[in-house]
mmCIF file of all heavy atoms in Angstrom:
data_model
loop_
_atom_site.group_PDB
_atom_site.id
_atom_site.type_symbol
_atom_site.label_atom_id
_atom_site.label_comp_id
_atom_site.label_asym_id
_atom_site.label_seq_id
_atom_site.Cartn_x
_atom_site.Cartn_y
_atom_site.Cartn_z
ATOM 1 N N ILE C 269 6.817 20.306 6.826
ATOM 2 C CA ILE C 269 6.685 21.026 5.555
ATOM 3 C C ILE C 269 6.880 22.498 5.874
ATOM 4 O O ILE C 269 6.146 23.051 6.705
ATOM 5 C CB ILE C 269 5.292 20.799 4.917
ATOM 6 C CG1 ILE C 269 5.097 19.312 4.598
ATOM 7 C CG2 ILE C 269 5.138 21.659 3.668
ATOM 8 C CD1 ILE C 269 3.679 18.967 4.127
ATOM 9 N N GLU C 270 7.864 23.100 5.253
ATOM 10 C CA GLU C 270 8.064 24.541 5.442
ATOM 11 C C GLU C 270 6.912 25.279 4.774
ATOM 12 O O GLU C 270 6.509 24.934 3.673
ATOM 13 C CB GLU C 270 9.403 24.984 4.824
ATOM 14 C CG GLU C 270 10.619 24.324 5.448
ATOM 15 C CD GLU C 270 10.792 24.613 6.935
ATOM 16 O OE1 GLU C 270 10.364 25.694 7.396
ATOM 17 O OE2 GLU C 270 11.330 23.742 7.646
ATOM 18 N N ASP C 271 6.366 26.273 5.462
ATOM 19 C CA ASP C 271 5.250 27.055 4.941
ATOM 20 C C ASP C 271 4.082 26.160 4.497
ATOM 21 O O ASP C 271 3.666 26.182 3.334
ATOM 22 C CB ASP C 271 5.734 27.926 3.775
ATOM 23 C CG ASP C 271 4.742 29.022 3.441
ATOM 24 O OD1 ASP C 271 3.912 29.377 4.308
ATOM 25 O OD2 ASP C 271 4.769 29.504 2.296
ATOM 26 N N PRO C 272 3.566 25.340 5.398
ATOM 27 C CA PRO C 272 2.499 24.390 5.032
ATOM 28 C C PRO C 272 1.182 25.114 4.745
ATOM 29 O O PRO C 272 0.957 26.238 5.194
ATOM 30 C CB PRO C 272 2.362 23.525 6.283
ATOM 31 C CG PRO C 272 2.738 24.440 7.396
ATOM 32 C CD PRO C 272 3.838 25.320 6.838
ATOM 33 N N ASP C 273 0.305 24.431 4.026
ATOM 34 C CA ASP C 273 -1.054 24.963 3.815
ATOM 35 C C ASP C 273 -1.912 24.761 5.058
ATOM 36 O O ASP C 273 -2.883 25.472 5.275
ATOM 37 C CB ASP C 273 -1.701 24.260 2.626
ATOM 38 C CG ASP C 273 -0.982 24.585 1.327
ATOM 39 O OD1 ASP C 273 -0.612 25.754 1.127
ATOM 40 O OD2 ASP C 273 -0.772 23.654 0.521
ATOM 41 N N GLY C 274 -1.569 23.748 5.860
ATOM 42 C CA GLY C 274 -2.316 23.502 7.084
ATOM 43 C C GLY C 274 -1.423 22.867 8.131
ATOM 44 O O GLY C 274 -0.450 22.176 7.791
ATOM 45 N N TYR C 275 -1.761 23.125 9.376
ATOM 46 C CA TYR C 275 -0.970 22.588 10.487
ATOM 47 C C TYR C 275 -1.932 22.217 11.612
ATOM 48 O O TYR C 275 -2.896 22.929 11.883
ATOM 49 C CB TYR C 275 0.026 23.648 10.981
ATOM 50 C CG TYR C 275 0.704 23.268 12.274
ATOM 51 C CD1 TYR C 275 1.756 22.352 12.275
ATOM 52 C CD2 TYR C 275 0.278 23.789 13.495
ATOM 53 C CE1 TYR C 275 2.375 21.980 13.458
ATOM 54 C CE2 TYR C 275 0.892 23.421 14.688
ATOM 55 C CZ TYR C 275 1.942 22.520 14.656
ATOM 56 O OH TYR C 275 2.548 22.135 15.826
ATOM 57 N N GLY C 276 -1.643 21.090 12.257
ATOM 58 C CA GLY C 276 -2.438 20.707 13.411
ATOM 59 C C GLY C 276 -1.574 19.978 14.415
ATOM 60 O O GLY C 276 -0.545 19.396 14.062
ATOM 61 N N GLU C 277 -1.966 20.051 15.660
ATOM 62 C CA GLU C 277 -1.246 19.313 16.687
ATOM 63 C C GLU C 277 -2.254 18.698 17.643
ATOM 64 O O GLU C 277 -3.402 19.142 17.722
ATOM 65 C CB GLU C 277 -0.248 20.210 17.437
ATOM 66 C CG GLU C 277 -0.866 21.443 18.030
ATOM 67 C CD GLU C 277 0.188 22.405 18.588
ATOM 68 O OE1 GLU C 277 1.301 22.470 18.047
ATOM 69 O OE2 GLU C 277 -0.141 23.081 19.564
ATOM 70 N N ALA C 278 -1.823 17.670 18.348
ATOM 71 C CA ALA C 278 -2.712 17.010 19.298
ATOM 72 C C ALA C 278 -1.872 16.375 20.396
ATOM 73 O O ALA C 278 -0.688 16.092 20.207
ATOM 74 C CB ALA C 278 -3.555 15.950 18.601
ATOM 75 N N GLU C 279 -2.520 16.187 21.518
ATOM 76 C CA GLU C 279 -1.879 15.541 22.661
ATOM 77 C C GLU C 279 -2.798 14.437 23.160
ATOM 78 O O GLU C 279 -4.009 14.643 23.292
ATOM 79 C CB GLU C 279 -1.630 16.562 23.772
ATOM 80 C CG GLU C 279 -1.006 15.934 25.015
ATOM 81 C CD GLU C 279 -0.674 16.972 26.073
ATOM 82 O OE1 GLU C 279 -0.624 18.173 25.745
ATOM 83 O OE2 GLU C 279 -0.485 16.564 27.233
ATOM 84 N N SER C 280 -2.231 13.295 23.413
ATOM 85 C CA SER C 280 -3.027 12.197 23.951
ATOM 86 C C SER C 280 -3.422 12.512 25.386
ATOM 87 O O SER C 280 -2.559 12.836 26.207
ATOM 88 C CB SER C 280 -2.216 10.896 23.904
ATOM 89 O OG SER C 280 -2.878 9.900 24.651
ATOM 90 N N THR C 281 -4.705 12.400 25.658
ATOM 91 C CA THR C 281 -5.162 12.662 27.021
ATOM 92 C C THR C 281 -4.803 11.514 27.958
ATOM 93 O O THR C 281 -4.739 11.694 29.166
ATOM 94 C CB THR C 281 -6.695 12.864 27.056
ATOM 95 O OG1 THR C 281 -7.303 11.736 26.439
ATOM 96 C CG2 THR C 281 -7.101 14.129 26.337
ATOM 97 N N SER C 282 -4.528 10.348 27.383
ATOM 98 C CA SER C 282 -4.259 9.194 28.245
ATOM 99 C C SER C 282 -2.797 9.070 28.650
ATOM 100 O O SER C 282 -2.491 8.493 29.686
ATOM 101 C CB SER C 282 -4.737 7.907 27.573
ATOM 102 O OG SER C 282 -4.081 7.725 26.348
#
Side-chain angles (χ1 to χ4, degrees):
I269 298 173
E270 298 299 331
D271 196 21
D273 294 318
Y275 170 78
E277 55 188 32
E279 178 176 343
S280 169
T281 54
S282 59

